[in-house]
Amino acid sequence: MISLTAQTERMAESLAAMATQTGKALAGLTVMFAMFQNYFPCELRVVIMECYEKFINFVYPYIQITFPEFQGDGFRRSKAYSSIERYLNANSTKQAKRLQAYVFDDCDAVVLSVANNEEVTDEFKGIKLWWTSREHSPNKQSISFWPREDEKKYFRLTFYRKYRHRITAEYLKHVMEEGKAITVQERRRKLCTNKAGGGVSGPGFGFGGGGIWSEVVFEHPATFATLAMDPIRKEKIVKDLIYFSKSEDYYKKVGKAWKRGYLLYGPPGTGKSTMIAAMANLLQYDVYDLELTAVDNNTELRKLLINTTSKSIIVIEDIDCSIDVTAKREDEDDGDDNEEGEGKNPVNEEIKKKKKKKRSKVTLSGLLNTIDGLWSACPGERIIVFTTNHVEKLDKALIRRGRMDEHIELSYCGFEAFMILAKNYLEVDSHELFAKIRQLLHETEMSPADVADKLMRKSDGEDADGNLMRLIKALEEDQEKNKDAKREEKEKKVAKGNESGDQALKQNGHKIKL
Ligand SMILES: Nc1ncnc2c1ncn2[C@@H]1O[C@H](COP(=O)(O)OP(=O)(O)OP(=O)(O)O)[C@@H](O)[C@H]1O
Ligand SMILES: [Mg+2]
């Protein structure tokens, strides 16, 4: 990195001016050559061309590319400029001596950027490059909402001419991608919900209000590192998610919409919602929490889904409770139609209405059509997640592969999952009580939520031993309860057996006395 003082800055300016003059002269020469080249024989033309190239490279061996802040129309900020800005801020501010600080619209933190006219160097696969941020300020004073025509900010990239192809084909792509990735990482993510009745604009929180979605900032601390489950399964899920997020080209190649469906199922408190938050944090996606019971009809569902943004997870929690997932699809196609008509029994209609009130008016076919239909044509990547406590209740069509690509079971706490919770909550990797806990977890069914509750420190003075003992006590109590329940069940079975035996004896006219 070269930091310029005021004096060297002036020198650089004059050099730049000279370079511009030289550049103009060379451009003139090029035009002249182009005009007269047809007058030379072919062989001579080749020789002249080679000499000309050598001369140009000798006089001015660089290429400069400028990236203006605003696009052609002057109103829209250039995406390339924004990406370069973020890329340089992340990679070059440590080297620069003159910085400027500001806050982006979509993130809270103070961001440092390289000051105007400060030159920083970058290296790409052994090639050295120079970036400068420049601003051309107008002399006249006037007030305008838009950047004035003579008020221009731009980045200038300088590199050796011989690397032209590699820089334009590879380096610039790399800068754009990195800049985009940094933008995604730094922005505040949002959690959107659809309110009852829909159509109500939310507070926006700086995201511009989604119209039919209401938004808040998404801040959930869950990560895959803190999620308690079998590490091998966890790693597979993480790999799968990362692969999906990078597979735009692959999805295009196979002609499939860039969407992926996950079905998370298991008993309450086993980490389904926590996993969704971990997914969102891993991929830096927004979360759309879709409350189906608040959606009036299939048309509104379509509208809601089309209004989701790229890089988002659409979540439908407790799918079995929010839609009639067991009903025959042919019977329910009238979901958003007017149901009133002549010749219908008013009592039955009333019962039907009451039933419908509890569940969404969205039909299963409506949901399936939306997932497969128009919505899948929306650009960008999206993940859709269903959760349920009763996977056996779901219609096969809803969860078939292709719609729900991955079925993930989250179950009661095993020892591997417990180890993660112990590390999270108590910061212990091993303990003499672990052997006992392993055995008890094997014999009982306790959700990670309950285990976490026992391990949670309730006051400052608590040590790991106390928490582990509390867990052991709870597991033993559960074990006893299970034993009692099993005993009762056995007794009931025996009683039933005796009863049927008595009846059989009665029928046969015998009675046995002990
Ligand atoms: N696998 C897990 N790893 C870490 N923490 C967990 C896990 N499962 C549950 N918890 C803890 O228990 C709480 C409840 O879990 P969560 O809401 O994810 O369960 P759920 O499976 O979505 O339950 P429900 O079916 O009732 O919606 C979480 O806030 C978290 O602290
Ligand atoms: Mg949940």
Side-chain angles (χ1 to χ4, degrees):
M1 203 280 316
I2 309 160
S3 171
L4 302 177
T5 60
Q7 203 179 5
T8 47
E9 211 167 274
R10 270 198 300 279
M11 264 173 65
E13 287 295 341
S14 48
L15 273 172
M18 269 170 63
T20 314
Q21 291 307 321
T22 320
K24 275 181 189 165
L26 292 174
L29 223 83
T30 312
V31 172
M32 268 173 61
F33 179 73
M35 281 168 67
F36 294 107
Q37 64 170 328
N38 289 338
Y39 295 101
F40 301 114
C42 187
E43 294 81 14
L44 190 60
R45 228 188 294 162
V46 173
V47 176
I48 294 175
M49 199 62 207
E50 275 174 9
C51 295
Y52 173 75
E53 289 268 319
K54 275 185 192 160
F55 174 70
I56 294 282
N57 286 346
F58 177 73
V59 179
Y60 190 76
Y62 305 106
I63 285 189
Q64 288 190 333
I65 305 178
T66 55
F67 299 87
E69 184 179 14
F70 286 91
Q71 288 178 340
D73 56 15
F75 299 130
R76 270 175 305 147
R77 202 167 196 249
S78 146
K79 280 186 185 163
Y81 184 92
S82 301
S83 293
I84 295 166
E85 193 173 41
R86 298 253 166 145
Y87 172 83
L88 291 179
N89 292 349
N91 294 299
S92 309
T93 44
K94 276 186 215 131
Q95 316 165 2
K97 286 195 179 137
R98 290 189 305 122
L99 299 162
Q100 53 194 22
Y102 54 95
V103 178
F104 278 117
D105 285 347
D106 52 358
C107 81
D108 281 335
V110 173
V111 179
L112 295 177
S113 83
V114 179
N116 283 337
N117 298 326
E118 179 88 3
E119 188 184 67
V120 288
T121 54
D122 193 16
E123 209 173 294
F124 178 70
K125 296 184 179 173
I127 304 171
K128 206 169 181 188
L129 313 104
W130 297 266
W131 281 103
T132 341
S133 164
R134 296 195 168 261
E135 187 166 21
H136 174 85
S137 304
N139 297 326
K140 287 172 265 169
Q141 287 196 344
S142 66
I143 297 168
S144 164
F145 287 113
W146 305 107
R148 290 163 44 152
E149 233 175 60
D150 50 355
E151 190 179 57
K152 284 173 186 150
K153 233 176 149 184
Y154 58 90
F155 281 115
R156 185 195 285 156
L157 173 66
T158 309
F159 55 91
Y160 283 110
R161 180 181 291 272
K162 60 182 171 185
Y163 300 124
R164 182 195 177 115
H165 182 70
R166 286 179 71 186
I167 298 300
T168 49
E170 294 175 42
Y171 176 71
L172 288 181
K173 194 172 172 232
H174 159 78
V175 172
M176 296 303 139
E177 280 174 1
E178 275 232 346
K180 247 195 206 169
I182 295 164
T183 310
V184 171
Q185 246 175 37
E186 282 178 354
R187 83 193 164 114
R188 281 188 301 178
R189 278 167 305 123
K190 52 188 177 177
L191 169 65
C192 305
T193 52
N194 58 312
K195 284 186 176 172
V200 189
S201 178
F205 281 89
F207 297 111
I212 50 178
W213 291 99
S214 48
E215 306 167 356
V216 289
V217 176
F218 176 80
E219 268 175 15
H220 197 296
T223 61
F224 274 96
T226 59
L227 185 72
M229 69 180 291
D230 173 38
I232 296 169
R233 280 180 63 216
K234 188 156 75 173
E235 201 188 321
K236 193 175 161 275
I237 297 166
V238 170
K239 267 192 187 162
D240 186 78
L241 285 165
I242 293 174
Y243 179 75
F244 167 77
S245 70
K246 292 181 176 168
S247 303
E248 182 174 15
D249 292 344
Y250 179 72
Y251 275 77
K252 236 183 229 166
K253 201 177 100 192
V254 296
K256 208 171 160 340
W258 197 10
K259 312 273 179 296
R260 192 149 178 82
Y262 285 83
L263 172 73
L264 309 185
Y265 65 96
T270 50
K272 297 179 291 299
S273 306
T274 312
M275 182 180 274
I276 295 168
M279 282 175 164
N281 286 335
L282 174 77
L283 300 176
Q284 301 290 320
Y285 281 10
D286 295 323
V287 176
Y288 287 86
D289 188 4
L290 180 56
E291 179 56 56
L292 273 189
T293 51
V295 183
D296 281 343
N297 50 45
N298 292 337
T299 316
E300 197 184 304
L301 175 70
R302 244 164 272 154
K303 224 190 273 174
L304 279 164
L305 289 179
I306 286 170
N307 273 292
T308 56
T309 52
S310 174
K311 290 189 181 296
S312 57
I313 303 182
I314 292 104
V315 183
I316 304 180
E317 291 257 29
D318 298 320
I319 181 86
D320 54 304
C321 303
S322 30
I323 191 172
D324 199 353
V325 281
T326 48
K328 291 262 179 299
R329 269 173 289 154
E330 305 87 67
D331 299 343
E332 31 143 68
D333 274 346
D334 56 352
D336 51 348
D337 296 342
N338 188 353
E339 287 238 315
E340 264 148 38
E342 282 177 9
K344 285 187 175 174
N345 182 342
V347 180
N348 284 349
E349 284 307 299
E350 196 51 39
I351 294 169
K352 253 192 189 175
K353 262 187 198 170
K354 272 188 183 167
K355 265 191 180 174
K356 274 198 156 189
K357 242 185 186 174
K358 268 197 260 165
R359 287 174 184 257
S360 167
K361 284 176 203 130
V362 171
T363 61
L364 181 57
S365 61
L367 183 60
L368 298 182
N369 288 342
T370 314
I371 293 174
D372 297 344
L374 235 189
W375 177 65
S376 64
C378 293
E381 69 255 53
R382 283 172 185 76
I383 287 177
I384 185 155
V385 183
F386 292 162
T387 73
T388 181
N389 297 137
H390 303 282
V391 69
E392 70 287 347
K393 280 192 191 169
L394 302 185
D395 189 303
K396 294 267 179 304
L398 183 65
I399 58 170
R400 73 149 165 79
R401 306 280 162 174
R403 283 203 183 102
M404 291 293 114
D405 305 274
E406 288 291 329
H407 297 185
I408 299 171
E409 182 180 9
L410 288 142
S411 195
Y412 295 111
C413 193
F415 186 66
E416 300 283 354
F418 158 77
M419 294 269 282
I420 296 169
L421 291 174
K423 178 92 186 125
N424 290 347
Y425 286 83
L426 306 172
E427 290 165 25
V428 286
D429 288 311
S430 64
H431 196 282
E432 56 191 14
L433 292 172
F434 275 17
K436 174 104 181 129
I437 291 171
R438 179 196 278 266
Q439 181 211 333
L440 283 166
L441 283 173
H442 187 68
E443 291 163 3
T444 49
E445 289 181 337
M446 188 178 267
S447 69
D450 284 338
V451 173
D453 180 59
K454 299 292 173 284
L455 298 183
M456 183 107 180
R457 289 214 164 105
K458 308 269 158 86
S459 66
D460 264 352
E462 273 186 337
D463 59 352
D465 292 26
N467 289 75
L468 292 173
M469 282 308 297
R470 194 161 57 204
L471 174 64
I472 289 176
K473 201 172 157 227
L475 284 166
E476 282 171 345
E477 278 170 12
D478 265 19
Q479 206 180 26
E480 275 309 308
K481 269 186 214 158
N482 279 350
K483 272 185 196 163
D484 288 347
K486 271 186 190 161
R487 205 177 301 132
E488 263 174 39
E489 210 174 295
K490 214 175 173 184
E491 280 169 9
K492 262 186 201 167
K493 267 187 190 168
V494 172
K496 233 183 179 180
N498 285 346
E499 225 170 73
S500 53
D502 282 354
Q503 271 173 7
L505 285 176
K506 265 183 199 168
Q507 276 167 11
N508 292 335
H510 298 288
K511 201 143 198 184
I512 298 168
K513 271 192 180 174
L514 290 172

